[in-house]
Amino acid sequence: MNAASPNSDIALLAEVAEAVRLQEGEMGVRAILQAFRQLAPAPTRAISRRTGLPLPIVAAVGNELRSRGLLGQERPSRLTERGLALAAELGVELNLDPDCYRCGGLEIAIPSVLNEAVERLRRIMADGPNADVSLDQSLCTAETKVRRVLALIRAGVLPGGSVLLVGDDDLVSVAIGVVGDVLGVPLASRVGVVDISTDILDHIADTASALDLRVDLEQHDLREPLPQRLRGQFDAGMTDPPYTAEGTRLFLSRVVEGLKPGAARNILFSFGAKGTEEMLEVQQEILGLGLVTHGMIRNFNSYEGSGILAGTGFLQHLLTTASTASLVEGTYEGPLYTREKRSRQREYECVSCSARFPVGAGARWNSVADLRDAGCPQCGGGPFRPLQLVAE
Amino acid sequence: MNAASPNSDIALLAEVAEAVRLQEGEMGVRAILQAFRQLAPAPTRAISRRTGLPLPIVAAVGNELRSRGLLGQERPSRLTERGLALAAELGVELNLDPDCYRCGGLEIAIPSVLNEAVERLRRIMADGPNADVSLDQSLCTAETKVRRVLALIRAGVLPGGSVLLVGDDDLVSVAIGVVGDVLGVPLASRVGVVDISTDILDHIADTASALDLRVDLEQHDLREPLPQRLRGQFDAGMTDPPYTAEGTRLFLSRVVEGLKPGAARNILFSFGAKGTEEMLEVQQEILGLGLVTHGMIRNFNSYEGSGILAGTGFLQHLLTTASTASLVEGTYEGPLYTREKRSRQREYECVSCSARFPVGAGARWNSVADLRDAGCPQCGGGPFRPLQLVAE
């Protein structure tokens, strides 16, 4: 059984890819196999991060590999003897991590002088409001906040320039103040913050008053155009919008409204990676705004406790051009957040008996955890693997 | 004179930006001032690399700063007392380099086990053909070749997958063989190379025969569609095309023709950064091909002896989508290389007397170095700063 030919190995990979309808095909399964080979024993989250594939997909592929005896049942999992033999036959055995070990492949490393800033931000976060998941909020870690400030320094915006934060549940405004305080250098000439949440704005105001930080706070629904006093004022902008094409267009339009006119203004755009088709839509929106990509760092943003995106997102460095203009001049009325766009139920298949069940708001099981706890209503078994979203 | 107000400082920056018609405005001048503050004494090339601004622009801004007594006359230059005072007033004095010091902000660090591969590639390059500048060729360094192989490993293409190199004057095919040889692992199941130059193909064939490397060489003009036997065959593609929007469309179309059908195939695209307007055109071509950007590392590629681009270019990681298709189905007849698109003369202004002179092929001075050596024909002085290209 181990003497499989390369062709039957590839057929096996293609079979697994087909079983979970994996867009990335057999190369995606290969990448997951390789990641298990290199990182084992590895939690699903680590495999997702290494391969760039979404967590539920990695989980589903893992289940397929387990059902074929290639991956062990223990968690975190490692390849079985058969799995290792397959990895050897596929030539994915190389034990070499090309990511820079210092920065983890993130380009920017936090210098030790800023460890204190990370610590202080952690304490400030603990006192702040929680994330509102209905607004697609998931809070970035203290390290990510400091790295975002370093990215503004690297772009030449800080020290000395002005920054508009379009939405700031991530408290980047506070991070600019804390990093400046630790370095003993006032970093920004002006920090503008536009957010809908008075809880967040109050928290920023309280924290900023203890630092030497000039923040300009505006409670505002970003569906509405930027208030006149903030338009055309800033050297640079930053946003971590709702992770939809519509969220991208709207939030980046508001950023553009806030920037001083002219080309080559910096925008730092954070986003949770999606599948290739959704990314195509998002990138069409960015180009439609007349913005060019100047850099893009995968896994730059780490978020606390956001499962579906494997807790990371990229940072895209954008520049304005002569043709940059807001695409949403008036009030925006359409869908915006993931929950508004997305069907609320997904079909799950019992791996034991192949029966399929819808899971999610309005279905018999609210989450796959509920379904797992109850067991398959047909055969009493499981586990379950995610299929397509249910059309509404 | 040193007691300038912040407003007059900004006016000074704006004045310098205006003098060299700098797209990036006063923020660009600020970034250059900051880079001189941090790196001094620094050659123009280092300032260009740090700021991401093209070398001739940095040189012109440097001349403006010198003529205002802000930058010293010595080379490499550092800020004068007045320049330092201005930097302090602008708040750009921060001495903190956010780039990871291990990888230099390139995400990928060459592990010491591969130092031998770098050395061997350096020797192989010394035996190879020289770059053909009429084809926009400028050869990437041995370190860059190894980093490109590591990028293919990181993308999960290697080990085990197949790669098509659309143009390979950079000898990435050889680098795949050398890195595999040093690691003792055959890296690629197949390496396809399409190039117009028999010199390069012969050099690759000679080198590959000494390694355990299966290369599939095809002498071919990429203005023509990819030969049938190479179409739809490869897991991934790589190209470093002519640095024009047309070169991007044509070379990426040929890459796409060579890839196996399906989404999420990897393409690694190297390019020398241009101004924002040109980058907008290039990125429109990429999106027009139905390709999404998955990552983009600035300064990833270092080239030997290419002045105009400051010797570096970015690496953009692209993925195919369901709508990816070649945009150049037949023979391409249009302009392609920089020299075909670009006027061959640029106007230079004498900073002493403001007289203007065309410089370049067909003009009285072939290069600005010739003009400098001769001195200004009107006042005998100089230096000279670049203005617009001369329309043909």
Side-chain angles (χ1 to χ4, degrees):
Chain A
M1 191 148 60
N2 277 346
S5 73
N7 279 345
S8 80
D9 291 343
I10 288 168
L12 178 66
L13 298 184
E15 194 184 300
V16 171
E18 180 55 32
V20 300
R21 291 166 180 69
L22 185 63
Q23 218 172 43
E24 287 78 4
E26 83 275 4
M27 288 298 283
V29 180
R30 224 175 137 282
I32 291 171
L33 205 67
Q34 180 173 25
F36 272 115
R37 175 71 185 77
Q38 288 179 9
L39 306 177
T44 310
R45 175 169 296 231
I47 303 294
S48 166
R49 192 178 169 116
R50 166 64 68 92
T51 57
L53 295 167
L55 198 59
I57 297 295
V58 172
V61 169
N63 286 338
E64 292 295 324
L65 296 175
R66 267 182 214 99
S67 74
R68 285 166 177 77
L70 298 165
L71 191 65
Q73 299 292 336
E74 75 288 353
R75 306 299 172 101
S77 309
R78 57 174 84 229
L79 296 180
T80 61
E81 287 297 313
R82 274 197 66 203
L84 289 169
L86 176 63
E89 277 155 25
L90 290 168
V92 299
E93 276 208 300
L94 186 69
N95 219 337
L96 180 82
D97 184 357
D99 277 359
C100 171
Y101 55 79
R102 166 73 187 148
C103 64
L106 303 183
E107 302 189 9
I108 290 173
I110 299 175
S112 53
V113 64
L114 291 181
N115 290 346
E116 185 195 333
V118 173
E119 281 309 314
R120 281 171 63 182
L121 285 164
R122 224 170 253 150
R123 287 196 296 273
I124 290 167
M125 288 168 77
D127 296 337
N130 291 325
D132 183 344
V133 286
S134 76
L135 297 178
D136 281 10
Q137 286 179 358
S138 62
L139 302 179
C140 74
T141 63
E143 286 85 355
T144 295
K145 293 182 209 312
V146 170
R147 269 197 211 93
R148 287 186 184 175
V149 176
L150 290 169
L152 286 167
I153 292 173
R154 198 182 189 214
V157 174
L158 305 182
S162 56
V163 189
L164 175 65
L165 304 166
V166 170
D168 194 28
D169 53 312
D170 280 327
L171 307 179
V172 174
S173 54
V174 171
I176 292 171
V178 169
V179 169
D181 199 47
V182 169
L183 295 175
V185 178
L187 284 183
S189 60
R190 183 180 179 191
V191 177
V193 176
V194 181
D195 206 289
I196 197 170
S197 159
T198 47
D199 284 356
I200 285 167
L201 294 172
D202 289 349
H203 185 50
I204 293 171
D206 289 350
T207 317
S209 67
L211 300 161
D212 184 21
L213 179 66
R214 195 176 149 197
V215 274
D216 188 345
L217 303 174
E218 178 82 26
Q219 196 273 327
H220 183 77
D221 184 344
L222 288 160
R223 290 170 194 269
E224 303 293 335
L226 212 60
Q228 200 55 46
R229 69 175 193 89
L230 295 175
R231 295 172 83 96
Q233 299 291 310
F234 295 88
D235 295 315
M238 193 182 256
T239 192
D240 189 338
Y243 296 157
T244 59
E246 292 81 358
T248 299
R249 180 172 55 221
L250 179 62
F251 277 55
L252 282 179
S253 287
R254 300 309 180 220
V255 170
V256 164
E257 291 165 15
L259 293 182
K260 291 178 188 166
R265 305 268 169 219
N266 295 280
I267 301 175
L268 296 178
F269 171 74
S270 294
F271 204 84
K274 303 274 182 155
T276 49
E277 306 310 309
E278 274 178 272
M279 288 315 300
L280 194 61
E281 282 181 47
V282 168
Q283 294 184 6
Q284 278 161 344
E285 294 294 347
I286 290 171
L287 218 51
L289 281 150
L291 298 172
V292 291
T293 300
H294 194 53
M296 184 172 178
I297 310 174
R298 273 175 61 191
N299 297 327
F300 185 90
N301 296 298
S302 286
Y303 299 92
E304 309 213 307
S306 66
I308 192 74
L309 298 168
T312 66
F314 59 80
L315 181 79
Q316 194 167 356
H317 185 174
L318 305 172
L319 296 178
T320 59
T321 67
S323 55
T324 296
S326 171
L327 286 178
V328 191
E329 289 295 350
T331 302
Y332 179 74
E333 313 270 11
L336 191 54
Y337 296 104
T338 309
R339 70 182 153 78
E340 294 171 328
K341 284 199 71 188
R342 194 183 273 174
S343 160
R344 292 148 89 182
Q345 297 179 12
R346 182 182 287 275
E347 224 180 8
Y348 280 78
E349 185 178 83
C350 171
V351 168
S352 308
C353 74
S354 297
R356 296 176 176 199
F357 314 98
V359 172
R364 181 166 157 197
W365 303 272
N366 208 33
S367 71
V368 71
D370 293 346
L371 175 61
R372 216 162 29 218
D373 290 348
C376 173
Q378 181 168 303
C379 75
F384 304 89
R385 65 186 180 84
L387 301 176
Q388 309 292 348
L389 291 169
V390 180
E392 301 220 50
Chain B
M1 191 148 59
N2 277 347
S5 74
N7 279 345
S8 79
D9 291 343
I10 288 167
L12 177 67
L13 297 184
E15 195 184 299
V16 171
E18 178 56 32
V20 299
R21 290 167 181 70
L22 185 63
Q23 220 173 38
E24 286 77 5
E26 81 276 5
M27 287 299 283
V29 180
R30 224 176 136 281
I32 290 172
L33 205 67
Q34 179 173 24
F36 273 115
R37 174 71 185 76
Q38 288 178 11
L39 305 178
T44 310
R45 177 169 295 232
I47 303 293
S48 165
R49 191 177 169 116
R50 166 64 68 93
T51 57
L53 295 167
L55 199 59
I57 297 295
V58 172
V61 170
N63 286 337
E64 293 295 324
L65 295 176
R66 267 182 213 100
S67 74
R68 286 166 175 77
L70 297 165
L71 191 64
Q73 298 293 337
E74 76 288 354
R75 305 300 172 100
S77 309
R78 57 174 82 231
L79 296 180
T80 60
E81 287 296 314
R82 272 197 69 203
L84 290 169
L86 176 64
E89 277 155 24
L90 290 167
V92 298
E93 275 209 301
L94 186 69
N95 218 336
L96 180 82
D97 183 357
D99 278 358
C100 172
Y101 56 77
R102 166 74 188 146
C103 65
L106 303 184
E107 302 189 9
I108 290 174
I110 299 176
S112 53
V113 65
L114 291 181
N115 290 346
E116 186 195 332
V118 174
E119 281 309 315
R120 281 171 62 182
L121 285 165
R122 225 170 253 151
R123 288 196 296 273
I124 291 167
M125 288 169 76
D127 297 336
N130 291 324
D132 183 345
V133 286
S134 76
L135 296 178
D136 281 9
Q137 285 180 357
S138 62
L139 302 179
C140 74
T141 63
E143 286 85 354
T144 295
K145 293 183 209 311
V146 171
R147 268 196 212 94
R148 286 185 185 176
V149 177
L150 290 169
L152 285 166
I153 292 173
R154 197 182 191 216
V157 174
L158 305 181
S162 55
V163 190
L164 176 64
L165 304 166
V166 170
D168 194 28
D169 53 312
D170 280 327
L171 307 178
V172 174
S173 54
V174 171
I176 291 170
V178 169
V179 169
D181 200 48
V182 169
L183 294 175
V185 178
L187 284 182
S189 61
R190 182 180 180 191
V191 177
V193 176
V194 181
D195 206 290
I196 198 170
S197 158
T198 47
D199 283 356
I200 286 168
L201 294 171
D202 289 348
H203 185 50
I204 294 172
D206 290 349
T207 318
S209 67
L211 300 161
D212 184 20
L213 179 66
R214 195 176 149 196
V215 275
D216 189 344
L217 303 174
E218 177 83 25
Q219 197 273 327
H220 183 75
D221 184 345
L222 289 159
R223 291 170 194 269
E224 303 294 335
L226 212 61
Q228 199 55 45
R229 70 175 192 90
L230 296 174
R231 295 172 82 96
Q233 299 291 310
F234 295 88
D235 295 315
M238 193 182 256
T239 192
D240 189 338
Y243 296 158
T244 58
E246 292 81 358
T248 299
R249 180 172 55 220
L250 179 62
F251 277 54
L252 282 178
S253 286
R254 300 308 179 219
V255 170
V256 164
E257 290 165 15
L259 294 182
K260 290 179 188 166
R265 305 267 169 221
N266 295 280
I267 300 175
L268 295 179
F269 171 74
S270 293
F271 204 85
K274 303 272 182 157
T276 50
E277 306 310 309
E278 273 177 272
M279 288 315 301
L280 194 61
E281 282 182 48
V282 168
Q283 294 184 6
Q284 277 160 344
E285 295 294 346
I286 290 171
L287 218 51
L289 281 151
L291 298 172
V292 291
T293 300
H294 194 52
M296 183 174 179
I297 310 175
R298 273 174 59 190
N299 297 327
F300 185 90
N301 295 298
S302 286
Y303 298 92
E304 308 212 306
S306 66
I308 193 76
L309 299 168
T312 66
F314 59 80
L315 181 80
Q316 194 167 357
H317 185 173
L318 304 172
L319 296 177
T320 59
T321 67
S323 55
T324 296
S326 170
L327 286 179
V328 191
E329 289 295 349
T331 302
Y332 179 73
E333 312 270 12
L336 192 54
Y337 296 103
T338 309
R339 70 182 153 79
E340 296 170 327
K341 287 198 69 188
R342 193 184 273 173
S343 159
R344 294 149 89 180
Q345 297 179 13
R346 183 183 287 277
E347 225 180 8
Y348 279 79
E349 185 178 84
C350 171
V351 168
S352 307
C353 74
S354 297
R356 295 176 176 199
F357 314 98
V359 172
R364 181 165 158 198
W365 302 271
N366 208 32
S367 71
V368 72
D370 294 346
L371 176 60
R372 214 159 35 215
D373 290 347
C376 172
Q378 181 168 305
C379 75
F384 303 89
R385 65 187 180 82
L387 301 176
Q388 309 293 349
L389 290 170
V390 179
E392 302 221 43

